[in-house]
């Protein structure tokens, strides 16, 4: 976009934060290292309530005032959006304005307007004025009703929509990140309307993406980004029409590339035999059942059905197909079981399923948290102690073989509830906890329990009571001026139906009980073009379409070619671990159009090997690796295509094709042929610095080398362990040279300017 540049920053991990603070360095962007306070806008996507101290930390470390009223005109504008700020009051002292809804289709227009203001010399206050006129923007004191923005073109082709391939700066991580899959969003919203689910109401109405567009995006993630694990994502992917046929067609298309597909959030009703087969074709993903509550009538109350019989039938099928484990999610404290104990029914449900299937289960239990804009926004939440008692009962009752029970800390649920339905007072507590050192509260290994308990104890109001109490229908709620889609009257009616255990049918295009989310501009899209779909699936199965970049049919009978190649690892790439380098090469072969031979078995791996893993932080002039390819072309093409697709710091130098071993001759792995590496250590010292202490330190770190004396300094007899170090002084003051000792280890130290290069030869055992 002209005049607009977008960069990323993440909340720093504790060690990085400590280092930045110790060095008095501000937090900076990933792409160009620019300090945060120098940007025009900082926009936060807040997906979870327990990340608020992260947001404050990013502001403070980026040199931006925490309180919005203290921000001067030379500071960035701070915007927040995402599911966790649909009640913006807790964050309102810190964020300048909040965006409600889906940003796709909105950002381009508003950024063009903001860029125009900047071109005219506009200031921060001018940018803020423009944003405040937007119907989907909320800010403290806004009198008009805020209407969320919805993407009107989700799932459709459009002339203006760019392919990933055309987005030259589309980032693909070079290190394995959390959820490191290629993700294609196949649907937005959910037709089912579970009454506790914030996402279901946030993303209404339900919209499908056309299968041809799904395939195009999968293609781009595989061929341009190099992913082999693709998630077909949505709130309930099993509800995609003919999902089993789509998965089967995709599996067929990418079979030779060993691409696997995962479907998160499958409802029990939507899991079918054919779908399980499709998902297990390449590698098995986990089976997860979010049952939530065990009794039939309670399930009707929350509008989500998952009977034990159906669950047992699916698990029996899954077991026959090789699954041994499954995961279950339950909640305690849902408003449907008010006054009744749900813990024993949960235990009975799980024991029955285990007795029938003989499988092992990981069980996750959490306290229900009422969320804004849902039918349960008025409901009570369990207090910490009450929730813990219930969870512990379940854990005790399921102890023993076949069950592993994990739970979400009821104290964290209390904090989440405090932010979820709280007001500015909740924000004050977040600030207080942050100032006292709270960070990364969503991660149990990082949350500072004592700080948070202290803050809640010292609060001038009863935090637990205020968070957990039931709201009356007449009470003014903090988020009332924000309209997320479903009308308030619809939510009230849904609450009544929940109390009567009455189901609301799934959304369909001929809606007879509208909630208010569908509009003439954005309607539910629950059907795909059937004739188009059939043609597409047939094409994908045939592999002869010729339309796509790679059809590998002609490769099927080609002989495997074994290639050895060498490469440089330098610059920023020294911070890539060996496992990440392997991942990068794996992805680069795909991006470069090479078909790698895979191992056999349940979890096929590419036949790619490295002579010797290089430690993190060490540069290499020449590493050796090998790969087996089915469509190797030539030395020149290989080097050209690979180097075009490798990230900065990695570069192929040379390669050699290896003849297959003669029949009856032993195969040698690359690692078994490895004889040794030369290491050069060059300390960064200038010509004015006294080098002796540095050299001594280096020698000490090599442990077995003794500094004998003065200038020339290093010389040594064979050590008891077989190491020999010996050498005259080099011209610049230091040299150590030694023959290989009995164990094959030799050390050479030679100097030059900055000088002092240590060369350490290492063998596989040394
Ligand atoms: S208006 Fe009807 S179809 Fe549209 S989201 Fe609401 S309930 Fe579903």
């Amino acid at each position: 976009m002209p005049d607009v540049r977008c960069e990323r920053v993440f909340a720093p991990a504790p060690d990085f934060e400590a280092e930045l603070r110790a060095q008095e360095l501000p937090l900076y962007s990933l792409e160009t290292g620019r300090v945060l306070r120098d940007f025009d806008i900082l926009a936060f996507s807040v997906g979870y309530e327990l990340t608020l101290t992260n947001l404050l930390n990013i502001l403070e470390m980026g040199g931006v005032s925490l309180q919005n009223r203290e921000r001067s005109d030379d500071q960035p504008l701070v915007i927040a959006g995402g599911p966790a700020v649909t009640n913006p009051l807790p964050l309102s002292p810190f964020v300048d304005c909040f965006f409600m809804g889906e940003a796709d289709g909105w950002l381009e227009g508003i950024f063009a307007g903001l860029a125009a203001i900047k071109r005219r010399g506009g200031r921060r206050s001018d940018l803020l004025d423009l944003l405040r006129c937007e119907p989907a923007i909320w800010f403290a004191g806004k009198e008009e009703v805020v209407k969320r923005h919805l993407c009107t073109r989700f799932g459709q082709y459009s002339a203006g929509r760019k392919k990933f391939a055309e987005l030259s700066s589309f980032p693909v991580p070079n290190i394995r990140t959390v959820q490191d899959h290629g993700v294609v969003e196949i649907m937005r919203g959910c037709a089912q309307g579970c009454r506790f689910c914030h996402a279901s109401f946030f993303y209404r109405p339900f919209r499908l993406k056309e299968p041809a567009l799904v395939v195009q995006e999968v293609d781009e993630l595989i061929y341009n980004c190099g992913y082999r694990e693709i998630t077909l994502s949505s709130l309930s992917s099993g509800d995609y029409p003919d999902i089993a046929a789509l998965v089967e067609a995709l599996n067929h298309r990418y079979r030779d590339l060993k691409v696997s597909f995962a479907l998160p959030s499958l409802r029990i009703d939507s899991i079918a035999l054919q779908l399980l087969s499709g998902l297990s074709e390449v590698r098995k993903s986990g089976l997860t059942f979010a049952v939530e509550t065990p009794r039939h009538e309670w399930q009707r109350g929350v509008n989500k059905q998952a009977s034990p019989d159906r669950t047992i039938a699916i698990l029996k099928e899954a077991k026959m197909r090789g699954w041994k484990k499954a995961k279950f999610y339950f909640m305690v404290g849902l408003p449907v079981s008010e006054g009744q104990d749900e813990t024993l029914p949960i235990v009975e449900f799980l024991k029955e399923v285990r007795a029938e299937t003989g499988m092992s289960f990981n069980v996750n239990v959490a306290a229900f948290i009422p969320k804004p804009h849902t039918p349960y926004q008025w409901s009570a939440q369990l207090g910490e102690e009450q929730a813990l008692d219930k969870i512990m009962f379940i854990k005790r009752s399921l102890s023993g073989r076949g069950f592993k029970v994990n739970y979400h800390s009821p104290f964290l649920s209390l904090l989440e509830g405090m932010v979820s339905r709280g007001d500015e007072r909740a924000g004050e507590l977040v600030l207080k906890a942050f100032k006292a050192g709270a960070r990364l509260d969503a991660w149990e290994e990082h949350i500072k329990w004592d700080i948070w308990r202290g803050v809640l104890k010292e609060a001038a109001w009863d935090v637990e009571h205020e968070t957990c109490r039931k709201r009356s229908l007449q009470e003014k709620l903090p988020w009332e001026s924000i309209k997320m889609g479903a009308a308030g009257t619809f939510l009230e009616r849904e609450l009544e139906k929940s109390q009567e255990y009455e189901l609301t049918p799934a959304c369909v295009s001929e809606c007879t009980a509208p909630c208010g989310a569908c509009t003439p501009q954005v309607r539910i899209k629950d059907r795909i073009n059937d004739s188009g779909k059939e043609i597409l699936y047939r094409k994908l199965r045939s592999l002869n379409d010729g339309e796509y970049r790679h059809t590998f049919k002609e490769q099927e009978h080609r002989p495997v070619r074994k290639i050895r190649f060498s490469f440089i690892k330098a610059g920023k790439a020294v911070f890539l671990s060996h496992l990440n380098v392997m991942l990068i090469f794996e992805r680069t072969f795909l991006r470069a159009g090479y078909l790698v031979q895979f191992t056999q078995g349940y979890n096929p791996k590419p036949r790619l090997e490295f002579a010797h893993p290089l430690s993190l932080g060490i540069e290499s002039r020449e590493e050796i690796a090998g790969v087996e390819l089915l469509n190797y072309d030539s030395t020149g093409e290989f080097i050209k295509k690979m180097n075009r697709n490798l990230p900065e710091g990695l570069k192929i130098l040379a390669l050699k094709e290896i003849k297959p071993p003669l029949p009856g001759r032993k195969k040698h792995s690359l690692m078994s042929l490895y004889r040794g590496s030369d290491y050069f250590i060059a300390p960064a010292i200038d010509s004015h610095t006294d080098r002796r202490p540095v050299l001594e330190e280096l020698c000490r770190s090599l442990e077995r080398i003794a500094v004998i004396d003065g200038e020339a300094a290093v010389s040594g007899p064979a050590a008891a362990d077989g190491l020999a170090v010996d050498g005259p002084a080099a011209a610049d003051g230091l040299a150590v040279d030694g023959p290989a000792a009995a164990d094959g280890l030799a050390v050479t130290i030679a100097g030059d300017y900055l000088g002092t290069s240590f060369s350490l030869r290492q063998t596989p055992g040394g």
Side-chain angles (χ1 to χ4, degrees), residues 437-489:
R439 305 281 189 279
L440 301 165
D441 306 315
W443 289 261
E444 292 203 10
E445 67 273 30
H446 292 303
I447 183 171
K448 309 269 190 333
W449 305 96
D450 292 351
I451 289 178
W452 271 110
R453 287 204 181 276
V455 166
L456 263 53
K457 203 169 153 199
E458 285 165 19
W461 48 292
D462 185 341
V463 179
E464 182 157 0
H465 170 77
E466 187 54 28
T467 298
C468 298
R469 73 179 173 82
K470 189 172 177 171
R471 276 72 168 153
S472 79
L473 293 180
Q474 290 71 41
E475 184 172 335
K476 191 167 164 36
L477 300 171
W479 52 91
E480 226 159 66
S481 65
I482 297 164
K483 299 292 167 221
M484 286 309 293
T489 47

Side-chain angles (χ1 to χ4, degrees), residues 3-21:
D3 295 335
V4 177
R5 197 166 70 195
C6 184
E7 301 190 23
R8 297 166 300 158
V9 67
F10 293 94
D15 53 350
F16 184 43
E17 180 185 342
E19 197 58 32
L20 287 175
R21 289 189 188 273

Side-chain angles (χ1 to χ4, degrees), residues 204-206 490 507-509 511-518 524:
R204 279 185 171 225
F206 162 68
F490 178 84
C507 291
V508 285
S509 44
C511 177
T512 51
C515 67
C518 287
I524 174 176

Side-chain angles (χ1 to χ4, degrees), residues 123-137:
R123 299 152 71 92
R124 178 182 188 278
S125 46
D126 303 314
L127 302 179
L128 190 54
D129 285 346
L130 177 76
L131 281 170
R132 284 179 161 179
C133 295
E134 284 290 304
I137 289 285

Side-chain angles (χ1 to χ4, degrees), residues 659-666:
K659 295 263 172 295
L662 292 169
R665 296 287 292 272
K666 192 173 175 252

Side-chain angles (χ1 to χ4, degrees), residues 320-368:
M320 279 176 359
R321 285 162 199 284
W323 270 276
K324 294 190 175 80
K325 276 186 185 171
K327 194 189 261 186
F328 280 90
Y329 282 96
F330 281 95
M331 280 194 258
V332 290
L334 278 161
V336 282
S337 58
E338 263 173 302
Q340 301 174 65
D341 175 44
E342 72 268 72
T343 54
L344 194 57
I346 290 176
V347 171
E348 286 168 353
F349 182 105
L350 286 164
K351 284 192 170 168
E352 184 188 344
V353 177
R354 164 126 175 100
E356 290 287 334
T357 62
M359 289 174 76
S360 303
F361 301 126
N362 286 331
V363 182
N364 283 62
V365 192
F368 157 70

